[in-house]
Amino acid sequence: MSDGWSVARALTDPGSVAGLDPTGWTHLLSAARALSLIGTLAEVLADAPVPPDVVRVLADVRHSNVAGQRQALWEAECAAMALADYPGKVVLLKGTAFAAAGYDAALGRSIGDLDILVERAGLDQVEALLLKAGWEWVKPDPYDDAYYRQWMHELPPLIHATRDRMIDVHHTILPLTAGPRPDAAALVASARLLPSGLYVLSPADIICHAAAHLIADGDLSGGMRNLWDIDRLVRQFVVEEPGFSETLAERARLHGLSDAVGRALRLSAQLYSTPIMFLRPDRARNTVHASDMLFLRRITAVDGWGRKTRKLTRQGFYIRSHLLRMPPAMLARHLWTKWRKGHRG
Amino acid sequence: MRHSCSITVGPARFRIGSDWRAPVDQLRALYQDYPQDEGVPDFTVRLQATSALRRFVKPQVAIAGDFTLPDAAPLPLEQGLLAAEMAMNLQMALGWRRHLLLHASAVSRNGRAVVMTGVSGAGKSTLSALLGERGWRFLGDEFVLLDPDSGMIVPFPRPVSLKNAAIAAMEREVDDETRFGPVMRETPKGTIRHLRPRTEAVELMARETRPALLLFPRFGFPRAVRRVDEAESFVRLTQASTNYVALGERGFDALTGFVRAMSACAIDYSDGEEGVEMVERLWSEQGGKLGVRAAAA
């Protein structure tokens, strides 16, 4: 029986794959693919002795990695050109940011949409510039549009008409309906300039964002990859940024994300042996919470065919993700509207 | 998964898992000549029930696997074989990086290949299937795999997916009923029936072939032949490739080399016999030119 744990083991200890038989390899590759970690696995195993069949599969994956990152950076470049007249900072988020900043977390990482963060006051101008440069609305539904604009942390998604790539324009890192209120102004203020003229979040804020995205917002469907991001980033920042642990604790407090960051670090330590523990001075140190086991059960829910398993657990977290985003009365109203429109999913 | 099998076509190995027995049995029969060893596959394909209930009540096959499209519509279980074929195509289209993939069919003679490409309905499948029964080696009818390093065509001889009128035409041509798959009616593309290539095509599927002639057939028009220059061929083939962009510079080099190595023609024809005759004629003219070129060199 293989699940996310077998992928975590292969990533953290590449030597452990030496004993795999063809079936073991097949299950590992399928699970890694389903968890969006195949690109990372291919890079981690680049120098490991693996069977010829596997060499061929991983070589294809590494080709895709190179093309994918080139495309993601090009898309960021296109956005920068479109926003040349916008005087504020354009901050890259997530995978594109890791690649642009040259962080270890970018190694083999699949990158989907382009995510950027701008000040809320600049949204109208940014939106107008993107529309002028060829991006179009994805969601034609007026309710969805209004909902995004009123309650979400981002504009409704835009897609470029000819390049077919999506952009998400954020003004903060959690929906406005969520409990924690990250300090968006502080995120932008301490963002770091790259040679390209684009920005990335400060190291501590990158971890806060990753944790917010995973723990305080989502249904954890991308958990294995998100936690791998966190593991790689933390390992790098602990070495390169003096006083990183303290800065991180401080920033997490500022953004109201101490719980989320603490949980994310505990989980990544469980899965990937991430070396530092985020320490909450008011709590017992390094304790693994009982609920963490439930999170890990959800995060590793995949089988050797790449299928999602543990349906009940997954459903539980799906419901949780909605409850986190919306107070119950609002959630009920939202679901009622969606149901009347026959919305699926 | 409950039922599974492994199928190797040319350089690609597929693992297919299914919630039901029938599609796997049909695959095993259709691919009986192909290697079915159990190494590490290039791609996994899953034929899954859309819900637990739908495994038994009006069963619906969802097309899933390593690579999926979010909007792929499920098919009824009677079309499970089609679902498997579509899912295998999808894996190749989205995941294969070893070769430049052209949406085309190909046949060869004397170690030199004719590549035929065109929109769905242009007749490239039927033409290649007919030629495959008449002295040509069938190399594939869905994807042509072009090796960027050698410029050679790597055979990918999947069973031919015959549609509508082409089914009766090939049933007249092939007298071995066991080479046909089940008839699937009312699919999204009309009636579909698969035809397993002749045994030699499968036995020789590891043997690569040099491309010699590129054709853009169009079915249902009065007979016409028009030369196509390199630039037009190039642009038309970028449209016909699923991984041209993904291959980056390798794809560009492979494709420019490909169009330069061959002469290309657009051919219009009104029935299969006429199409076969036109391919044969162009081939012999081409053969003459190749001889002249060889003599000049």
Side-chain angles (χ1 to χ4, degrees), chain A residues 41-87:
Chain A
L41 186 68
E43 300 294 348
V44 166
L45 295 180
D47 300 319
V50 300
D53 296 352
V54 179
V55 170
R56 284 192 284 272
V57 171
L58 294 183
D60 272 10
V61 171
R62 301 218 325 267
H63 271 299
S64 305
N65 287 348
V66 173
Q69 299 223 344
R70 186 189 294 144
Q71 204 169 13
L73 291 175
W74 169 242
E75 197 59 25
E77 183 83 34
C78 291
M81 289 191 279
L83 297 176
D85 290 340
Y86 171 66

Tab-separated table of all heavy atoms in Angstrom, chain A residues 41-87:
chain	number	residue	atom	x	y	z
A	41	LEU	N	10.352	15.114	-7.869
A	41	LEU	CA	10.942	13.785	-7.724
A	41	LEU	C	11.973	13.543	-8.821
A	41	LEU	O	13.061	13.017	-8.571
A	41	LEU	CB	9.841	12.721	-7.776
A	41	LEU	CG	10.291	11.281	-7.502
A	41	LEU	CD1	10.713	11.118	-6.057
A	41	LEU	CD2	9.186	10.283	-7.832
A	42	ALA	N	11.637	13.970	-10.041
A	42	ALA	CA	12.553	13.769	-11.166
A	42	ALA	C	13.876	14.495	-10.919
A	42	ALA	O	14.945	13.967	-11.237
A	42	ALA	CB	11.918	14.251	-12.463
A	43	GLU	N	13.822	15.692	-10.361
A	43	GLU	CA	15.057	16.435	-10.093
A	43	GLU	C	15.827	15.818	-8.934
A	43	GLU	O	17.048	15.701	-8.973
A	43	GLU	CB	14.751	17.909	-9.786
A	43	GLU	CG	14.039	18.655	-10.908
A	43	GLU	CD	14.879	18.824	-12.171
A	43	GLU	OE1	16.097	18.574	-12.125
A	43	GLU	OE2	14.297	19.198	-13.211
A	44	VAL	N	15.101	15.412	-7.907
A	44	VAL	CA	15.758	14.821	-6.740
A	44	VAL	C	16.484	13.526	-7.130
A	44	VAL	O	17.557	13.225	-6.605
A	44	VAL	CB	14.712	14.556	-5.619
A	44	VAL	CG1	15.272	13.640	-4.554
A	44	VAL	CG2	14.259	15.876	-5.009
A	45	LEU	N	15.883	12.773	-8.061
A	45	LEU	CA	16.468	11.485	-8.456
A	45	LEU	C	17.378	11.599	-9.678
A	45	LEU	O	17.788	10.583	-10.247
A	45	LEU	CB	15.353	10.476	-8.758
A	45	LEU	CG	14.459	10.073	-7.584
A	45	LEU	CD1	13.407	9.067	-8.030
A	45	LEU	CD2	15.280	9.496	-6.435
A	46	ALA	N	17.708	12.845	-10.054
A	46	ALA	CA	18.459	13.031	-11.309
A	46	ALA	C	19.753	12.230	-11.333
A	46	ALA	O	20.157	11.731	-12.381
A	46	ALA	CB	18.751	14.511	-11.521
A	47	ASP	N	20.403	12.092	-10.199
A	47	ASP	CA	21.686	11.389	-10.177
A	47	ASP	C	21.593	10.005	-9.528
A	47	ASP	O	22.612	9.347	-9.345
A	47	ASP	CB	22.732	12.225	-9.427
A	47	ASP	CG	22.940	13.566	-10.099
A	47	ASP	OD1	22.976	13.593	-11.345
A	47	ASP	OD2	23.046	14.586	-9.391
A	48	ALA	N	20.386	9.597	-9.165
A	48	ALA	CA	20.247	8.301	-8.490
A	48	ALA	C	20.246	7.177	-9.523
A	48	ALA	O	19.808	7.371	-10.652
A	48	ALA	CB	18.948	8.275	-7.686
A	49	PRO	N	20.795	6.002	-9.164
A	49	PRO	CA	20.720	4.877	-10.095
A	49	PRO	C	19.296	4.315	-10.117
A	49	PRO	O	18.832	3.781	-9.109
A	49	PRO	CB	21.698	3.863	-9.478
A	49	PRO	CG	21.788	4.219	-8.032
A	49	PRO	CD	21.427	5.663	-7.882
A	50	VAL	N	18.604	4.480	-11.230
A	50	VAL	CA	17.231	3.977	-11.334
A	50	VAL	C	17.115	3.139	-12.604
A	50	VAL	O	17.917	3.287	-13.529
A	50	VAL	CB	16.198	5.127	-11.351
A	50	VAL	CG1	16.275	5.959	-10.086
A	50	VAL	CG2	16.394	6.030	-12.557
A	51	PRO	N	16.116	2.253	-12.661
A	51	PRO	CA	15.978	1.368	-13.831
A	51	PRO	C	15.745	2.180	-15.122
A	51	PRO	O	15.213	3.287	-15.064
A	51	PRO	CB	14.735	0.533	-13.495
A	51	PRO	CG	14.508	0.697	-12.036
A	51	PRO	CD	15.090	2.007	-11.646
A	52	PRO	N	16.130	1.601	-16.275
A	52	PRO	CA	16.039	2.319	-17.553
A	52	PRO	C	14.635	2.847	-17.879
A	52	PRO	O	14.496	3.964	-18.373
A	52	PRO	CB	16.464	1.275	-18.595
A	52	PRO	CG	17.147	0.210	-17.838
A	52	PRO	CD	16.713	0.263	-16.420
A	53	ASP	N	13.597	2.048	-17.592
A	53	ASP	CA	12.216	2.504	-17.849
A	53	ASP	C	11.950	3.807	-17.107
A	53	ASP	O	11.324	4.729	-17.630
A	53	ASP	CB	11.186	1.490	-17.307
A	53	ASP	CG	11.269	0.159	-17.998
A	53	ASP	OD1	12.019	0.070	-18.990
A	53	ASP	OD2	10.585	-0.772	-17.554
A	54	VAL	N	12.424	3.833	-15.871
A	54	VAL	CA	12.171	4.987	-15.012
A	54	VAL	C	12.996	6.190	-15.480
A	54	VAL	O	12.518	7.326	-15.461
A	54	VAL	CB	12.487	4.641	-13.539
A	54	VAL	CG1	12.242	5.831	-12.634
A	54	VAL	CG2	11.672	3.437	-13.094
A	55	VAL	N	14.216	5.912	-15.931
A	55	VAL	CA	15.061	6.984	-16.470
A	55	VAL	C	14.316	7.709	-17.587
A	55	VAL	O	14.284	8.943	-17.641
A	55	VAL	CB	16.395	6.418	-17.011
A	55	VAL	CG1	17.155	7.484	-17.796
A	55	VAL	CG2	17.251	5.915	-15.857
A	56	ARG	N	13.691	6.945	-18.483
A	56	ARG	CA	12.996	7.552	-19.621
A	56	ARG	C	11.819	8.406	-19.158
A	56	ARG	O	11.619	9.524	-19.634
A	56	ARG	CB	12.510	6.464	-20.588
A	56	ARG	CG	13.622	5.869	-21.440
A	56	ARG	CD	13.053	5.014	-22.563
A	56	ARG	NE	12.581	3.727	-22.062
A	56	ARG	CZ	13.366	2.649	-21.961
A	56	ARG	NH1	14.634	2.714	-22.325
A	56	ARG	NH2	12.891	1.516	-21.493
A	57	VAL	N	11.045	7.853	-18.215
A	57	VAL	CA	9.880	8.605	-17.727
A	57	VAL	C	10.342	9.907	-17.070
A	57	VAL	O	9.800	10.992	-17.348
A	57	VAL	CB	9.071	7.757	-16.724
A	57	VAL	CG1	7.992	8.591	-16.055
A	57	VAL	CG2	8.455	6.548	-17.417
A	58	LEU	N	11.375	9.805	-16.222
A	58	LEU	CA	11.814	10.994	-15.492
A	58	LEU	C	12.492	12.007	-16.424
A	58	LEU	O	12.422	13.217	-16.183
A	58	LEU	CB	12.744	10.593	-14.343
A	58	LEU	CG	12.078	9.771	-13.233
A	58	LEU	CD1	13.072	9.480	-12.113
A	58	LEU	CD2	10.841	10.462	-12.673
A	59	ALA	N	13.121	11.511	-17.486
A	59	ALA	CA	13.734	12.441	-18.441
A	59	ALA	C	12.642	13.288	-19.114
A	59	ALA	O	12.807	14.497	-19.301
A	59	ALA	CB	14.541	11.676	-19.486
A	60	ASP	N	11.525	12.649	-19.472
A	60	ASP	CA	10.400	13.409	-20.040
A	60	ASP	C	9.914	14.472	-19.056
A	60	ASP	O	9.620	15.602	-19.436
A	60	ASP	CB	9.226	12.467	-20.346
A	60	ASP	CG	9.332	11.866	-21.738
A	60	ASP	OD1	10.389	12.037	-22.372
A	60	ASP	OD2	8.351	11.233	-22.179
A	61	VAL	N	9.826	14.060	-17.801
A	61	VAL	CA	9.344	14.991	-16.780
A	61	VAL	C	10.294	16.181	-16.667
A	61	VAL	O	9.865	17.330	-16.563
A	61	VAL	CB	9.218	14.273	-15.419
A	61	VAL	CG1	8.927	15.270	-14.311
A	61	VAL	CG2	8.133	13.201	-15.476
A	62	ARG	N	11.607	15.907	-16.741
A	62	ARG	CA	12.558	17.016	-16.595
A	62	ARG	C	12.507	17.948	-17.794
A	62	ARG	O	12.655	19.156	-17.650
A	62	ARG	CB	13.975	16.474	-16.345
A	62	ARG	CG	13.990	15.621	-15.085
A	62	ARG	CD	15.190	15.708	-14.173
A	62	ARG	NE	16.470	15.891	-14.754
A	62	ARG	CZ	17.314	14.901	-15.076
A	62	ARG	NH1	16.938	13.640	-14.926
A	62	ARG	NH2	18.498	15.171	-15.535
A	63	HIS	N	12.251	17.390	-18.977
A	63	HIS	CA	12.000	18.259	-20.138
A	63	HIS	C	10.831	19.201	-19.854
A	63	HIS	O	10.888	20.401	-20.137
A	63	HIS	CB	11.654	17.415	-21.368
A	63	HIS	CG	12.845	17.006	-22.160
A	63	HIS	ND1	13.685	17.920	-22.752
A	63	HIS	CD2	13.356	15.788	-22.461
A	63	HIS	CE1	14.653	17.276	-23.374
A	63	HIS	NE2	14.484	15.982	-23.195
A	64	SER	N	9.769	18.627	-19.315
A	64	SER	CA	8.580	19.436	-19.024
A	64	SER	C	8.888	20.494	-17.971
A	64	SER	O	8.385	21.614	-18.046
A	64	SER	CB	7.430	18.561	-18.535
A	64	SER	OG	7.167	17.546	-19.456
A	65	ASN	N	9.717	20.132	-16.997
A	65	ASN	CA	10.085	21.094	-15.953
A	65	ASN	C	10.732	22.335	-16.565
A	65	ASN	O	10.378	23.468	-16.241
A	65	ASN	CB	11.091	20.481	-14.973
A	65	ASN	CG	10.458	19.459	-14.052
A	65	ASN	OD1	9.235	19.349	-13.988
A	65	ASN	ND2	11.286	18.710	-13.344
A	66	VAL	N	11.709	22.093	-17.430
A	66	VAL	CA	12.440	23.205	-18.038
A	66	VAL	C	11.484	24.088	-18.834
A	66	VAL	O	11.461	25.315	-18.682
A	66	VAL	CB	13.568	22.663	-18.956
A	66	VAL	CG1	14.219	23.808	-19.727
A	66	VAL	CG2	14.598	21.918	-18.129
A	67	ALA	N	10.662	23.449	-19.665
A	67	ALA	CA	9.733	24.214	-20.490
A	67	ALA	C	8.736	24.972	-19.615
A	67	ALA	O	8.428	26.136	-19.877
A	67	ALA	CB	8.998	23.277	-21.450
A	68	GLY	N	8.242	24.309	-18.566
A	68	GLY	CA	7.234	24.919	-17.693
A	68	GLY	C	7.766	26.148	-16.980
A	68	GLY	O	7.085	27.171	-16.882
A	69	GLN	N	9.003	26.060	-16.490
A	69	GLN	CA	9.547	27.210	-15.764
A	69	GLN	C	9.867	28.356	-16.714
A	69	GLN	O	9.666	29.521	-16.379
A	69	GLN	CB	10.799	26.787	-14.987
A	69	GLN	CG	10.462	25.699	-13.972
A	69	GLN	CD	11.106	25.901	-12.625
A	69	GLN	OE1	12.031	26.674	-12.465
A	69	GLN	NE2	10.596	25.184	-11.633
A	70	ARG	N	10.353	28.009	-17.892
A	70	ARG	CA	10.632	29.057	-18.865
A	70	ARG	C	9.338	29.805	-19.206
A	70	ARG	O	9.288	31.031	-19.263
A	70	ARG	CB	11.230	28.427	-20.128
A	70	ARG	CG	11.696	29.457	-21.159
A	70	ARG	CD	12.077	28.797	-22.458
A	70	ARG	NE	13.251	27.945	-22.327
A	70	ARG	CZ	13.411	26.796	-22.991
A	70	ARG	NH1	12.489	26.366	-23.803
A	70	ARG	NH2	14.506	26.085	-22.831
A	71	GLN	N	8.276	29.017	-19.393
A	71	GLN	CA	6.980	29.603	-19.734
A	71	GLN	C	6.460	30.486	-18.593
A	71	GLN	O	5.936	31.574	-18.821
A	71	GLN	CB	5.995	28.477	-20.021
A	71	GLN	CG	4.855	28.890	-20.906
A	71	GLN	CD	4.055	27.685	-21.384
A	71	GLN	OE1	4.202	26.580	-20.879
A	71	GLN	NE2	3.187	27.914	-22.354
A	72	ALA	N	6.631	30.015	-17.351
A	72	ALA	CA	6.142	30.774	-16.196
A	72	ALA	C	6.888	32.101	-16.076
A	72	ALA	O	6.287	33.147	-15.815
A	72	ALA	CB	6.313	29.946	-14.923
A	73	LEU	N	8.202	32.074	-16.281
A	73	LEU	CA	8.987	33.312	-16.165
A	73	LEU	C	8.673	34.261	-17.320
A	73	LEU	O	8.642	35.481	-17.144
A	73	LEU	CB	10.480	32.989	-16.115
A	73	LEU	CG	10.925	32.293	-14.830
A	73	LEU	CD1	12.385	31.901	-14.900
A	73	LEU	CD2	10.674	33.178	-13.614
A	74	TRP	N	8.417	33.695	-18.472
A	74	TRP	CA	8.022	34.520	-19.615
A	74	TRP	C	6.678	35.195	-19.320
A	74	TRP	O	6.487	36.382	-19.616
A	74	TRP	CB	7.955	33.665	-20.880
A	74	TRP	CG	7.313	34.358	-22.049
A	74	TRP	CD1	6.179	34.003	-22.709
A	74	TRP	CD2	7.781	35.551	-22.705
A	74	TRP	NE1	5.912	34.880	-23.712
A	74	TRP	CE2	6.870	35.848	-23.738
A	74	TRP	CE3	8.874	36.390	-22.501
A	74	TRP	CZ2	7.025	36.954	-24.573
A	74	TRP	CZ3	9.021	37.497	-23.339
A	74	TRP	CH2	8.105	37.772	-24.357
A	75	GLU	N	5.780	34.453	-18.718
A	75	GLU	CA	4.469	35.022	-18.407
A	75	GLU	C	4.614	36.171	-17.402
A	75	GLU	O	3.932	37.198	-17.516
A	75	GLU	CB	3.557	33.921	-17.859
A	75	GLU	CG	2.077	34.243	-17.866
A	75	GLU	CD	1.528	34.540	-19.258
A	75	GLU	OE1	2.093	34.068	-20.257
A	75	GLU	OE2	0.538	35.291	-19.323
A	76	ALA	N	5.506	35.999	-16.437
A	76	ALA	CA	5.754	37.071	-15.466
A	76	ALA	C	6.309	38.306	-16.188
A	76	ALA	O	5.926	39.442	-15.911
A	76	ALA	CB	6.736	36.595	-14.393
A	77	GLU	N	7.202	38.057	-17.128
A	77	GLU	CA	7.781	39.131	-17.937
A	77	GLU	C	6.680	39.866	-18.719
A	77	GLU	O	6.669	41.100	-18.782
A	77	GLU	CB	8.773	38.476	-18.901
A	77	GLU	CG	9.545	39.404	-19.795
A	77	GLU	CD	10.748	39.987	-19.083
A	77	GLU	OE1	11.333	39.275	-18.253
A	77	GLU	OE2	11.061	41.156	-19.360
A	78	CYS	N	5.760	39.105	-19.285
A	78	CYS	CA	4.658	39.708	-20.045
A	78	CYS	C	3.814	40.595	-19.131
A	78	CYS	O	3.388	41.693	-19.523
A	78	CYS	CB	3.768	38.635	-20.666
A	78	CYS	SG	4.580	37.736	-21.987
A	79	ALA	N	3.536	40.097	-17.925
A	79	ALA	CA	2.743	40.884	-16.978
A	79	ALA	C	3.499	42.152	-16.606
A	79	ALA	O	2.907	43.242	-16.519
A	79	ALA	CB	2.425	40.051	-15.731
A	80	ALA	N	4.812	42.033	-16.412
A	80	ALA	CA	5.610	43.208	-16.058
A	80	ALA	C	5.542	44.250	-17.168
A	80	ALA	O	5.405	45.446	-16.911
A	80	ALA	CB	7.059	42.787	-15.802
A	81	MET	N	5.617	43.786	-18.417
A	81	MET	CA	5.544	44.728	-19.536
A	81	MET	C	4.168	45.388	-19.582
A	81	MET	O	4.052	46.594	-19.802
A	81	MET	CB	5.838	44.014	-20.858
A	81	MET	CG	7.304	43.625	-20.996
A	81	MET	SD	7.753	43.084	-22.658
A	81	MET	CE	7.203	41.389	-22.651
A	82	ALA	N	3.127	44.589	-19.357
A	82	ALA	CA	1.765	45.143	-19.386
A	82	ALA	C	1.573	46.177	-18.279
A	82	ALA	O	0.808	47.129	-18.437
A	82	ALA	CB	0.749	44.013	-19.247
A	83	LEU	N	2.267	45.983	-17.154
A	83	LEU	CA	2.061	46.852	-15.990
A	83	LEU	C	3.155	47.913	-15.862
A	83	LEU	O	3.345	48.493	-14.793
A	83	LEU	CB	2.016	45.990	-14.718
A	83	LEU	CG	0.862	44.987	-14.654
A	83	LEU	CD1	0.952	44.116	-13.411
A	83	LEU	CD2	-0.484	45.708	-14.702
A	84	ALA	N	3.861	48.168	-16.965
A	84	ALA	CA	4.974	49.122	-16.911
A	84	ALA	C	4.522	50.495	-16.393
A	84	ALA	O	5.270	51.173	-15.688
A	84	ALA	CB	5.605	49.260	-18.299
A	85	ASP	N	3.284	50.894	-16.695
A	85	ASP	CA	2.800	52.218	-16.268
A	85	ASP	C	2.248	52.227	-14.853
A	85	ASP	O	1.843	53.275	-14.352
A	85	ASP	CB	1.712	52.720	-17.228
A	85	ASP	CG	2.299	53.073	-18.591
A	85	ASP	OD1	3.528	53.296	-18.656
A	85	ASP	OD2	1.538	53.106	-19.576
A	86	TYR	N	2.174	51.064	-14.226
A	86	TYR	CA	1.672	51.018	-12.843
A	86	TYR	C	2.822	51.372	-11.907
A	86	TYR	O	3.861	50.707	-11.907
A	86	TYR	CB	1.126	49.618	-12.536
A	86	TYR	CG	0.792	49.387	-11.085
A	86	TYR	CD1	-0.246	50.098	-10.464
A	86	TYR	CD2	1.518	48.473	-10.315
A	86	TYR	CE1	-0.545	49.892	-9.132
A	86	TYR	CE2	1.219	48.265	-8.980
A	86	TYR	CZ	0.191	48.977	-8.392
A	86	TYR	OH	-0.100	48.782	-7.071
A	87	PRO	N	2.660	52.428	-11.106
A	87	PRO	CA	3.788	52.902	-10.305
A	87	PRO	C	4.091	52.042	-9.067
A	87	PRO	O	5.203	52.103	-8.538
A	87	PRO	CB	3.337	54.303	-9.875
A	87	PRO	CG	1.838	54.267	-9.920
A	87	PRO	CD	1.464	53.281	-10.974
